Amino acid sequence: MQLYEELVARGLIAQVTNEDEIREMINAGKATFYIGFDCTADSLTAGHFMALTLMKRLQMAGNKPIALIGGGTTMIGDPSGRSDMRKMLTREDIDHNAECFKRQMERFIEFGEGKAQMVNNADWLLELNYVDLLREVGACFSVNNMLRAECYKQRMEKGLSFLEFNYMIMQSYDFYHLFQSHGCNMQFGGNDQWSNMLGGTELIRRKLGKDAHCMTITLLTDSQGNKMGKTAGNAVWLDPNKTSPYDFYQYWRNVEDGDVMKCIRMLTFLPMEQISDMDGWEGSQLNKAKEILAWELTALVHGEEEANKAQEAAKALFGGGGDKANMPTTELTIDNFGDGQIGIMNLLVACGLAPSKGEARRLVQQGGVSVNDQKVTDIDAKFGCELFVEGVIIKKGKKVFHRAVMN
């Protein structure tokens, strides 16, 4: 099976322009393509996985990726998939976030001479003269067509700022610039970006002629992808300081039954033959599939050693005889214990399981906290320091486990 056919078989492709040409270029390793990443935070999330693994697959087949850091477009904010305007970031915040993205991407993509490139659209967008941009680019866009785009339609009722309205033009200019300066002939993005991305192909053809070979592919991220990277309202980060390797492993270990094989096909590098053999798995076999998914993705982001530790910690928690030392652990000192005891709310805050005593109180009152398998419902409950010599296991909700020990 050639690469393009494999991408289709894995369920990655949503919409394409001129499919025959795309298939030929990708299979021959002749595509120079870009994927954009607006740096709205200081870490990539699990929601970026599909794009990152796609870049890796394409590079392994000889194609050349361009990772576009959106230092310029982040200053505007993409309205796609949003019910309100994004937070405005400073230039310093954006530059810091861009540096964090670079370090994380290097785990997936090989950068260097003749390999992948990393560029920042701040280098050209922030140098543009507004009137020149209107004359050169704005004349190529129909406001009527733009307002029919899904990325704008969903915002019209609640209000779309003029700042955000310009995002499509900025993103389109990115493709136009990369096409001319880097020989970039293909762009990938989420399916919710289809309208924005078509703007880029149309701009190139209007400025350079209809024979300009520029292609657009969107990925199936509008449904499955939008769920990735979110759990209980919080992001699942690739930065181990924001989401530990164990919590990252547990996130994928706990995906819904109906999503596990979809995630394995889309995100792992397991051979399609092996995945096909797993398609009929049920019951305990489906749990095994979840363990495979969790280990593969944790190893990809954090390395095999951390993936093994996370798996051992999970086995320890769920009766498999694993090593509890690999569980996320907080070391408490005597200063945490007043009169040799620590209250449940202080314990939750000290372990990072609640951001404040108020939130800790709510968790306890709602019955969402257990200590050593005993549910705690009394907000005044206290635990002696002697319990922590061997360590106690704190459970928050159904899936978050943490170990606390006395230092």
Side-chain angles (χ1 to χ4, degrees), residues 144-387:
N144 291 350
N145 290 340
M146 292 174 71
L147 291 177
R148 283 194 289 268
E150 286 299 321
C151 61
Y152 291 141
K153 283 168 60 177
Q154 59 190 356
R155 286 292 308 281
M156 291 300 291
E157 291 184 6
K158 292 191 175 181
L160 176 72
S161 72
F162 182 70
L163 177 71
E164 295 169 291
F165 187 67
N166 281 270
Y167 191 90
M168 181 185 290
I169 294 176
M170 296 292 98
Q171 183 171 334
S172 299
Y173 190 86
D174 282 342
F175 195 16
Y176 174 61
H177 175 86
L178 292 173
F179 183 86
Q180 290 188 292
S181 62
H182 291 75
C184 179
N185 49 35
M186 199 175 294
Q187 59 177 337
F188 283 83
N191 202 27
D192 58 347
Q193 293 284 311
W194 181 248
S195 298
N196 286 348
M197 295 168 68
L198 283 182
T201 58
E202 290 302 312
L203 176 61
I204 291 172
R205 287 168 182 164
R206 291 194 64 171
K207 297 293 293 183
L208 304 177
K210 292 184 178 180
D211 293 332
H213 293 282
C214 55
M215 288 143 278
T216 296
I217 304 177
T218 61
L219 307 175
L220 278 175
T221 57
D222 54 334
S223 55
Q224 178 60 33
N226 283 345
K227 293 194 293 184
M228 292 178 189
K230 297 285 186 179
T231 177
N234 299 313
V236 178
W237 305 99
L238 304 194
D239 183 344
N241 295 315
K242 296 168 77 72
T243 297
S244 71
Y246 169 80
D247 288 332
F248 189 84
Y249 177 96
Q250 282 298 102
Y251 170 74
W252 297 107
R253 173 62 181 80
N254 292 316
V255 298
E256 296 176 6
D257 289 356
D259 288 334
V260 60
M261 292 310 303
K262 187 183 298 183
C263 290
I264 286 176
R265 277 192 296 271
M266 288 180 166
L267 305 178
T268 75
F269 288 83
L270 295 176
M272 286 301 296
E273 295 81 3
Q274 181 179 348
I275 295 173
S276 296
D277 292 340
M278 298 166 62
D279 271 333
W281 285 10
E282 297 178 352
S284 61
Q285 285 184 311
L286 198 56
N287 286 330
K288 178 62 177 177
K290 292 181 181 182
E291 292 176 358
I292 291 171
L293 170 67
W295 190 92
E296 290 288 336
L297 298 189
T298 305
L300 189 61
V301 174
H302 299 296
E304 292 187 8
E305 181 179 354
E306 291 297 333
N308 289 333
K309 288 180 180 179
Q311 191 170 64
E312 283 294 306
K315 288 180 179 179
L317 285 171
F318 297 105
D323 185 357
K324 290 183 179 179
N326 292 321
M327 190 184 307
T329 300
T330 295
E331 294 187 354
L332 303 176
T333 68
I334 193 63
D335 293 336
N336 294 111
F337 297 86
D339 297 326
Q341 295 182 313
I342 185 171
I344 184 61
M345 291 190 291
N346 286 333
L347 178 61
L348 292 172
V349 173
C351 292
L353 295 173
S356 65
K357 285 188 177 181
E359 177 63 16
R361 176 190 294 267
R362 185 187 67 80
L363 286 170
V364 172
Q365 290 175 334
Q366 292 181 350
V369 177
S370 297
V371 175
N372 283 347
D373 290 328
Q374 297 296 315
K375 181 170 287 189
V376 180
T377 57
D378 181 2
I379 60 173
D380 294 320
K382 295 184 178 181
F383 304 90
C385 60
E386 67 277 1
L387 291 176

